[in-house]
Amino acid sequence: MQLAVNIVVLAAIYALISCGYVLIYRVSRVLNLAHGELMLVGAYLLYSTASLLGGNPLTAVAMAAVLGLLVGVLVYVLLMRRMTGEMVLAAVLCTIALGVMLRGATVLIWSAQVRHPMEALGWSNPSLVLFGDARISLISAILIGATAVVYAALFGFLGFTRWGIRMRAAGQNPLLASQRGIQLHGVYALAWGLSTFTAGLAGMLISLDSSLDGTMTMIGLKAFPAALVGGLDSLAGALIGSAIIAIAEVLLIQFVNPLLSDVVPFFVLLAVLVIRPWGLFGSKEELDRV
Amino acid sequence: MPNASGYFRTSLDQDLVLLDTRTQKVSCAVFCALLLFVPFVAKPLFIDIANQVFLAAIGALALMLVTGFAGQISLGHAGLLAAGAFTAGILFKEFAAPIWVTLPASACIGAVFGLIFGLPSLRLRGLYLAVSTLGLHFIVVYLGGEYETRRGFSTGIPLDPPSIGGWSLDNGRAWYFVLLAFAAGATLFSINLLRSKTGRAWRALRSNETVAEALGVHVAGHKLLAFVISSAMTSIAGCLFAYYRSFVSVEAFSLFLSIQYVAMVIIGGLGSILGALLGAVFVVLLPYIVEWVTAILPLTASISGLIFAINHTVFGVVMVLFLLFEPRGLVGIWQRLQNYFLLWPFRQTPLSSER
Amino acid sequence: MDAPETILSVEKIEVTYHRVVTAVQGVSMTVKRGQIVALLGNNGAGKTTTLRAISGFVGMDDAQVSEGSISYKGQRTENRQPHEVTRLGVVLVPERSKVFENLTVAENILAAVPGKKSKSQAAVAYEYFPQLVRLREREAGYLSGGERQMLAIASALVCAPELLLVDELSLGLAPRVVADLIERLQLIRGELGLTIVLVEQNATVALELADYGYVMENGRIVLDGTADRLRSHDDIREFYLGHVQGERRNYRDVKQYRRSRRWYG
């Protein structure tokens, strides 16, 4: 029973992170390998706002989330905007460089010490007892809820709102989108903003549940196979990919070897790439496009 | 050095000569003499840096072959280095094998991994390939870590300095000559490989796979060959690295190392042997430069503990700057300088900026 | 009828791709309000490039108008982003990839940013192309060629164009469909007061529809005139309309001759 809960929590974590990969890839065809670092930045932002606004934990969380969105937009406007029209590879390398930079910058700004945003917020993280003796921490429960809300909102946004449809249109055919009056830079910036927002959210919740230091980027990187397994351009795929990876990871850690933790997602990834390179739900044309 | 004007080749033999004009021969000779002379006057620290440059150069050349020429992206370079280093370490620990066994063994293991790394490239392109090599990196590192814990070398595998024909490689100067020889060998090998049929096939592959196939290039075979050759070279570099540090540990082969190698190729300039060498020099020197700069700045005391973070930040910034403003890398700058002096007093206006 | 105002004037533009390849050179044309102007020429003559230059290039085209100017209603529009040009009222119906294939018809219409002129532009689109209503939920990738072209024009109408640029209206479509589309286009033009620039390979179709025509070859304009004049021009009759009188001439000879004539002034 506990195992099932662990799987669900891990799946939710991966899903919350991987939707950011999907969002950016789908809209601008860029693979954002700095996603883990952006997650880290989001978590540190929460730590800062929590230290500043100690009395108002909710305001601190909201402010950190908004700041995360701004960071994403800034990253696009200052950096990735210049990479539009360049080779896809150059853009990806650019995100790698950005990741290295952010990694260094977070240590410079917030030092390499392990932080505990939970204490800074003045909250506690009681563990709840579920049916059948399974336990789940409050933050993990909130995380599952947040993932559900984020996915529902994204599905609704992309499927039914004008701007969501425009985002999909821009991802599919940027030239035509521009000719139909859609401002590409605006749409891309929005995608980066949303993606960083969700990454920041994931970072915050994970750091609230445990602690905060540079190793968090590894979780971000491990969520990437989840996005790819499902198919990089499919949100539903990301959800299912996360579930697959979480199941594999939890079971293998439990029954085979705890050291496997960092490798399992990549094993699954390679297996999928060999069998079905475009992912379980992705469109096949994607392969030729890159 | 390009020929300014009025020099034509009239036979195949002339075209095959590596060093063509007298200027080239003289400058090359002077450069080699300098390289051989340096270790007798330089400080140990400087020799150590030079050795690191040579090691990095072998790896960068290997990556340049596969990425810069064959056009296949690999983010798993650190994994291959690790494969070479661990082959050396394991063979030494388990069978007390000497270097003339471990080095070829590393190359073979590297080639096998290259084959495995290369397999995804048959079906995948671009991003997806990068991602699968990234995955393989983690798997290789995991296997290394698994060995370390199983055999109880949780902090790493120590290695004795190797000896070649009774000559023990236990100081920086001895290593300098060995590594210099290896780096020079790798450079010559790469240059000649690229002038051969294989090299031309790789370039064709990079420009357009479909067209290359239509022209009779065996696409799958050449892709795999690129990975195999590159991986074997990288593994040799990894093996030498293990002996040079006399220590093997998974911590040394992080993702950051892969990124550093990619950065060497980018900063140096994709598609150029000289670029790989320049990139290796630049990336190895960068942390020392950062250290030196921070040391002369007045705020040393407060940031001495953060040197690692500063390195990361500077590294990222430099990489971004190159990607944004000088996509052709150091080689591009070098060529522009060269043209400036060759054409002086005239100004060169480039017809196009190559993408 | 007093002389209508000029709404688009293209002055001696030169377009270069990748900063080296010159695609069109010294192209000038003027379009008056309410006119239908046809741009004729064979493959690679530079028609599409000219049209794209008017509607704007995006970064990945790696193209630019390197000389000359384009002005629309007195505003300079060369080297602007397509979305800005579209918001001014110059809307392109491109030749290929003219619809968002993975989006449904309804979403295609929604994705276009409505122009400022009227609020319910989406309704306009369905009004002129009632067939689309039935196909609303269908993915655009599954439409037939004719339906695609309708959707492309319909979604262009959403942007409230004053000047509609149509690239290859008849390409790959059955003659009956083309006839239907032309009829529809003329209706729309009459009711919405559109000005249209057509790019066509099919000179018969184009000259039937247009008031004025430009003929392009090798990236330059070699002939222009009213549709009637063009129709009666010998070269046009022979090489574009296919009416042969007497001995057939070699197209290349005529082309060579013209080129050398221009060369010597």
Side-chain angles (χ1 to χ4, degrees):
Chain A
M1 207 59 233
Q2 186 60 47
L3 222 50
V5 172
N6 288 350
I7 289 174
V8 171
V9 171
L10 194 62
I13 289 175
Y14 285 156
L16 191 55
I17 303 169
S18 61
C19 72
Y21 285 111
V22 172
L23 214 57
I24 288 184
Y25 184 77
R26 191 161 171 176
V27 176
S28 62
R29 304 284 149 204
V30 171
L31 194 59
N32 176 18
L33 289 178
H35 204 61
E37 279 78 8
L38 287 170
M39 204 172 110
L40 188 68
V41 170
Y44 272 119
L45 283 175
L46 175 66
Y47 176 75
S48 289
T49 54
S51 323
L52 274 177
L53 310 161
N56 273 336
L58 280 177
T59 328
V61 171
M63 203 165 136
V66 172
L67 282 175
L69 199 129
L70 277 180
V71 167
V73 173
L74 271 182
V75 164
Y76 178 76
V77 171
L78 296 181
L79 185 64
M80 299 312 293
R81 187 188 151 115
R82 295 162 183 272
M83 300 311 289
T84 46
E86 294 281 332
M87 276 173 10
V88 179
L89 175 62
V92 175
L93 291 172
C94 207
T95 63
I96 294 182
L98 172 72
V100 173
M101 204 164 82
L102 286 178
R103 189 76 189 276
T106 48
V107 177
L108 284 183
I109 299 171
W110 287 287
S111 92
Q113 241 178 313
V114 178
R115 303 286 189 182
H116 297 276
M118 198 62 169
E119 291 164 14
L121 277 178
W123 282 349
S124 63
N125 187 14
S127 79
L128 313 173
V129 180
L130 298 175
F131 42 88
D133 257 7
R135 285 170 172 277
I136 186 171
S137 69
L138 177 64
I139 296 292
S140 299
I142 292 177
L143 192 138
I144 295 172
T147 307
V149 170
V150 163
Y151 268 80
L154 279 179
F155 274 120
F157 174 69
L158 288 176
F160 303 109
T161 64
R162 245 166 206 278
W163 274 101
I165 293 171
R166 277 178 200 152
M167 234 174 186
R168 276 157 62 205
Q172 208 176 95
N173 188 340
L175 175 59
L176 182 62
S178 182
Q179 285 162 351
R180 288 290 169 271
I182 300 171
Q183 195 183 351
L184 290 181
H185 289 311
V187 168
Y188 291 161
L190 183 61
W192 274 87
L194 284 179
S195 160
T196 313
F197 172 78
T198 55
L201 204 62
M204 288 173 207
L205 288 167
I206 296 169
S207 71
L208 283 177
D209 205 19
S210 48
S211 60
L212 176 54
D213 63 3
T215 51
M216 184 189 274
T217 51
M218 190 61 208
I219 307 178
L221 209 55
K222 277 162 70 187
F224 170 64
L228 207 111
V229 162
L232 259 180
D233 55 349
S234 154
L235 266 184
L239 213 49
I240 295 181
S242 305
I244 294 174
I245 299 246
I247 292 171
E249 187 173 338
V250 170
L251 293 184
L252 283 174
I253 289 175
Q254 186 78 21
F255 297 113
V256 184
N257 183 350
L259 261 183
L260 277 168
S261 153
D262 283 355
V263 221
V264 175
F266 295 100
F267 268 124
V268 179
L269 171 76
L270 284 175
V272 169
L273 282 182
V274 169
I275 304 162
R276 219 182 129 84
W278 49 93
L280 296 175
F281 292 86
S283 43
K284 203 170 174 178
E285 306 89 70
E286 283 315 311
L287 275 188
D288 300 324
R289 229 202 281 240
V290 282
Chain B
M1 184 75 70
N3 303 304
S5 70
Y7 181 82
F8 301 104
R9 292 158 184 155
T10 50
S11 70
L12 180 65
D13 288 340
Q14 277 179 21
D15 202 40
L16 290 180
V17 169
L18 267 179
L19 295 170
D20 207 359
T21 56
R22 192 194 294 150
T23 334
Q24 279 175 345
K25 283 175 193 160
V26 170
S27 52
C28 183
V30 169
F31 185 65
C32 292
L34 266 179
L35 277 181
L36 290 174
F37 177 65
V38 157
F40 296 104
V41 288
K43 287 184 208 148
L45 172 70
F46 187 79
I47 294 179
D48 178 47
I49 295 176
N51 289 346
Q52 287 181 43
V53 168
F54 294 144
L55 278 171
I58 303 174
L61 281 168
L63 187 62
M64 188 61 93
L65 287 182
V66 78
T67 303
F69 290 99
Q72 310 295 313
I73 306 145
S74 166
L75 290 179
H77 222 58
L80 290 169
L81 284 170
F86 272 95
T87 311
I90 293 171
L91 285 180
F92 176 78
K93 270 290 160 203
E94 304 290 328
F95 309 105
I99 190 168
W100 49 267
V101 171
T102 54
L103 204 59
S106 296
C108 291
I109 294 287
V112 171
F113 271 110
L115 206 59
I116 304 173
F117 267 59
L119 277 178
S121 75
L122 300 184
R123 290 187 72 179
L124 306 173
R125 282 179 208 178
L127 293 184
Y128 281 75
L129 180 63
V131 169
S132 73
T133 53
L134 186 72
L136 278 160
H137 160 82
F138 282 107
I139 290 170
V140 172
V141 169
Y142 161 76
L143 292 176
E146 192 61 21
Y147 173 79
E148 279 185 6
T149 41
R150 287 278 158 89
R151 298 287 295 162
F153 304 116
S154 50
T155 49
I157 311 167
L159 279 150
D160 291 344
S163 59
I164 304 170
W167 182 47
S168 177
L169 288 173
D170 52 2
N171 61 50
R173 198 178 293 167
W175 271 109
Y176 180 92
F177 290 109
V178 170
L179 292 177
L180 176 62
F182 269 97
T187 312
L188 279 177
F189 174 73
S190 309
I191 291 176
N192 278 327
L193 190 67
L194 289 172
R195 306 196 304 165
S196 71
K197 196 179 162 193
T198 318
R200 287 191 294 273
W202 285 348
R203 284 174 213 224
L205 257 182
R206 183 173 74 144
S207 326
N208 190 326
E209 249 176 55
T210 320
V211 174
E213 190 155 25
L215 289 174
V217 174
H218 192 302
V219 168
H222 277 101
K223 273 188 185 175
L224 280 184
L225 190 65
F227 272 100
V228 167
I229 291 178
S230 159
S231 311
M233 274 173 77
T234 315
S235 287
I236 291 176
C239 174
L240 291 171
F241 176 80
Y243 277 114
Y244 179 64
R245 283 267 172 262
S246 58
F247 189 71
V248 185
S249 158
V250 276
E251 272 81 51
F253 305 102
S254 62
L255 188 59
F256 184 61
L257 189 66
S258 287
I259 297 175
Q260 275 186 312
Y261 274 94
V262 173
M264 285 177 205
V265 176
I266 302 283
I267 291 175
L270 275 177
S272 154
I273 293 290
L274 181 64
L277 301 176
L278 290 178
V281 173
F282 187 89
V283 171
V284 171
L285 284 186
L286 190 62
Y288 292 99
I289 297 171
V290 169
E291 206 172 337
W292 179 69
V293 170
T294 45
I296 56 171
L297 288 179
L299 28 90
T300 327
S302 59
I303 56 167
S304 56
L306 294 173
I307 209 86
F308 151 84
I310 297 173
N311 266 334
H312 259 66
T313 317
V314 171
F315 186 75
V317 171
V318 168
M319 211 170 149
V320 166
L321 288 180
F322 266 97
L323 280 168
L324 288 183
F325 300 111
E326 190 54 64
R328 291 171 67 199
L330 290 169
V331 166
I333 297 176
W334 167 248
Q335 278 169 355
R336 237 179 294 138
L337 276 177
Q338 218 173 33
N339 283 341
Y340 181 82
F341 286 110
L342 273 180
L343 297 177
W344 194 84
F346 301 106
R347 289 278 282 285
Q348 182 213 20
T349 37
L351 207 56
S352 72
S353 63
E354 205 180 336
R355 290 201 160 218
Chain C
M1 195 175 127
D2 47 12
E5 56 162 330
T6 300
I7 77 167
L8 178 79
S9 78
V10 177
E11 295 272 347
K12 293 182 187 159
I13 58 162
E14 177 184 284
V15 178
T16 42
Y17 284 104
H18 316 296
R19 282 169 239 172
V20 265
V21 186
T22 308
V24 306
Q25 215 170 14
V27 167
S28 300
M29 55 191 285
T30 49
V31 179
K32 300 217 161 64
R33 186 179 286 286
Q35 260 187 337
I36 296 186
V37 172
L39 210 53
L40 305 173
N42 48 334
N43 289 337
K47 301 164 301 192
T48 298
T49 301
T50 309
L51 216 54
R52 291 285 317 277
I54 298 171
S55 102
F57 295 111
V58 294
M60 69 196 130
D61 291 328
D62 198 12
Q64 59 167 335
V65 177
S66 42
E67 256 170 61
S69 67
I70 301 171
S71 47
Y72 170 71
K73 293 209 283 190
Q75 281 195 60
R76 296 283 289 263
T77 60
E78 75 267 14
N79 292 328
R80 290 245 217 140
Q81 293 276 308
H83 71 92
E84 294 171 335
V85 180
T86 299
R87 281 175 195 185
L88 287 176
V90 182
V91 184
L92 174 73
V93 179
E95 177 186 359
R96 266 162 293 164
S97 60
K98 53 186 88 180
V99 293
F100 300 110
E101 297 188 351
N102 294 2
L103 266 54
T104 64
V105 169
E107 286 173 337
N108 261 282
I109 302 271
L110 271 177
V113 176
K116 286 167 195 151
K117 292 252 153 159
S118 112
K119 276 172 195 164
S120 58
Q121 288 290 340
V124 174
Y126 290 121
E127 183 190 324
Y128 286 105
F129 297 96
Q131 293 97 318
L132 294 178
V133 178
R134 180 171 58 80
L135 301 166
R136 284 176 67 120
E137 297 308 315
R138 173 118 27 124
E139 263 187 44
Y142 295 111
L143 296 181
S144 72
E147 289 164 345
R148 252 178 224 231
Q149 189 66 282
M150 281 184 210
L151 177 57
I153 298 173
S155 70
L157 287 183
V158 175
C159 302
E162 278 185 70
L163 176 62
L164 190 67
L165 312 168
V166 186
D167 198 354
E168 302 285 7
L169 181 75
S170 65
L171 192 74
L173 300 180
R176 255 191 52 201
V177 179
V178 176
D180 179 48
L181 277 172
I182 287 178
E183 204 176 294
R184 210 81 63 90
L185 213 52
Q186 266 167 337
L187 177 78
I188 295 167
R189 175 198 170 212
E191 292 190 9
L192 297 180
L194 289 187
T195 310
I196 296 174
V197 177
L198 273 180
V199 156
E200 268 292 345
Q201 292 214 37
N202 186 340
T204 323
V205 170
L207 290 181
E208 213 170 281
L209 196 61
D211 307 308
Y212 202 88
Y214 291 87
V215 181
M216 291 191 76
E217 261 173 36
N218 291 320
R220 294 164 193 272
I221 287 179
V222 291
L223 277 176
D224 69 289
T226 58
D228 293 333
R229 264 194 61 199
L230 285 179
R231 252 197 298 266
S232 55
H233 191 279
D234 277 350
D235 288 356
I236 300 287
R237 284 177 66 83
E238 179 162 357
F239 298 118
Y240 290 95
L241 299 172
H243 306 301
V244 187
Q245 298 131 327
E247 199 189 344
R248 260 187 176 277
R249 282 177 299 168
N250 188 335
Y251 172 63
R252 179 167 292 172
D253 293 344
V254 181
K255 222 168 147 178
Q256 291 285 337
Y257 151 73
R258 271 206 225 102
R259 200 183 299 158
S260 52
R261 188 178 58 182
R262 192 168 41 239
W263 189 259
Y264 295 115

